[in-house]
Amino acid sequence: MTDRRLGLAMVFIATLSWSTAGLFIRAADTDLVNIIFWRGIFGVLGMAVVLLVFQGWAGLGSFKRLGKAGWAYVLVSVLTLPAYLASLHLTSIAHVAIIYATVPLMTAVLAWLVLREAAPRSAIIAALVALIGAVFMVGLSTDGTALGDALALAMTFGMAVLVVLARRNPEIPALAAGLVATLMTVVAVLPFATTSVPDGNTILILAIFGLSNSLLGFALFILGSRRIPAVETALIGALEAPIAPVWVWLMFGETPQPATIAGGLIVFASVFWHILRSTRTAPLPE
């Protein structure tokens, strides 16, 4: 597998993992603060185990290699995650997903300003079409709230910053950055969380949530985004738009409005059009 295809696969799996966040939030029988707290606990434990299994005690040295870029990544992650989870709690899953679909355009602008990385024409077209889908969805449907939508927008900008940071600084140790960011989030919400262990079903849901979203999603996102252009990372991430509402619809019957479905399909089509076009025009490896 080429480095680019590996990067695409990693970012896609991370996106698929993150798209289930709304599903877990709906399923967990506890409040938002406790969801963030217990999700983080299991995420930290999972990343610590993986770090020790694959790198041994020498892996602890990766925390020293975070550097300024790594700590910047951690800080933005800590600010972005609560905004993301709170937006899922305060507005509809569909609104969060479609607002997040604007991240390719934000990322393309940031990548050009910071990296001078010009996006291919097909990527710009796909980003614009995805933006049209998002505006169509948010403008026509009424199943969201202003505060939740604002938090989703802040989260989207934060993700664009993370993509550019990872692309510019491929030396950032993925697991170390993810572990520190998740741990800091746990510490931040600790004063407001209930320390008593939730019931068996809820703790199982939160364990799976933490392991899939923090461990699988965070690590693969950093590893994959350093292998492909920033705008492509964001375009793959925009697939969360058509995927996230499907999980909730299948499990809880939360049927999105027609405008939500139409906007999601537009985003989905634009992303895959760019991927197929760029794959066909990419030079063959020698």
Side-chain angles (χ1 to χ4, degrees):
M1 181 179 290
T2 65
D3 201 50
R4 179 175 179 273
R5 289 181 178 178
L6 180 60
L8 288 172
M10 286 179 168
V11 174
F12 177 75
I13 295 173
T15 300
L16 192 64
S17 170
W18 285 342
S19 72
T20 62
L23 179 66
F24 286 109
I25 286 181
R26 290 291 191 272
D29 186 22
T30 186
D31 58 59
L32 178 62
V33 172
N34 284 306
I35 289 174
I36 296 175
F37 176 78
W38 288 103
R39 171 195 179 276
I41 289 292
F42 287 107
V44 167
L45 291 175
M47 283 185 278
V49 169
V50 171
L51 184 68
L52 291 175
V53 168
F54 285 93
Q55 300 181 25
W57 292 109
L60 298 178
S62 60
F63 293 99
K64 298 179 180 180
R65 300 197 307 272
L66 282 173
K68 292 182 179 179
W71 282 107
Y73 198 101
V74 167
L75 178 61
V76 176
S77 299
V78 170
L79 295 175
T80 300
L81 174 62
Y84 175 47
L85 295 180
S87 67
L88 289 172
H89 206 70
L90 295 172
T91 192
S92 70
I93 303 301
H95 263 216
V96 175
I98 302 298
I99 290 173
Y100 181 67
T102 63
V103 74
L105 203 57
M106 289 189 187
T107 304
V109 174
L110 280 177
W112 182 80
L113 290 174
V114 177
L115 307 176
R116 294 300 175 186
E117 183 176 273
R121 182 181 300 177
S122 62
I124 293 297
I125 293 173
L128 288 172
V129 173
L131 178 58
I132 291 171
V135 171
F136 181 77
M137 152 57 197
V138 175
L140 295 182
S141 69
T142 58
D143 53 355
T145 66
L147 178 58
D149 289 352
L151 288 171
L153 188 61
M155 172 272 295
T156 300
F157 179 74
M159 288 303 300
V161 173
L162 291 178
V163 171
V164 173
L165 274 173
R167 179 67 170 168
R168 184 178 185 179
N169 305 278
E171 74 282 358
I172 295 176
L175 282 174
L179 197 155
V180 173
T182 307
L183 182 59
M184 287 178 65
T185 303
V186 170
V187 173
V189 301
L190 180 59
F192 312 100
T194 303
T195 54
S196 58
V197 179
D199 63 81
N201 288 335
T202 300
I203 201 68
L204 177 61
I205 290 170
L206 294 177
I208 299 173
F209 188 21
L211 292 174
S212 63
N213 268 236
S214 294
L215 175 56
L216 187 63
F218 204 110
L220 288 182
F221 183 81
I222 300 179
L223 292 172
S225 58
R226 66 181 58 164
R227 290 174 163 83
I228 58 178
V231 69
E232 286 196 348
T233 298
L235 280 169
I236 297 294
L239 287 177
E240 187 173 337
I243 297 174
V246 173
W247 293 120
V248 181
W249 171 62
L250 290 174
M251 297 300 296
F252 299 105
E254 185 178 308
T255 305
Q257 295 185 4
T260 297
I261 298 173
L265 289 175
I266 291 172
V267 174
F268 195 93
S270 67
V271 172
F272 273 94
W273 172 79
H274 166 71
I275 293 173
L276 291 174
R277 181 179 174 83
S278 61
T279 300
R280 291 174 181 173
T281 57
L284 294 175
E286 299 181 358

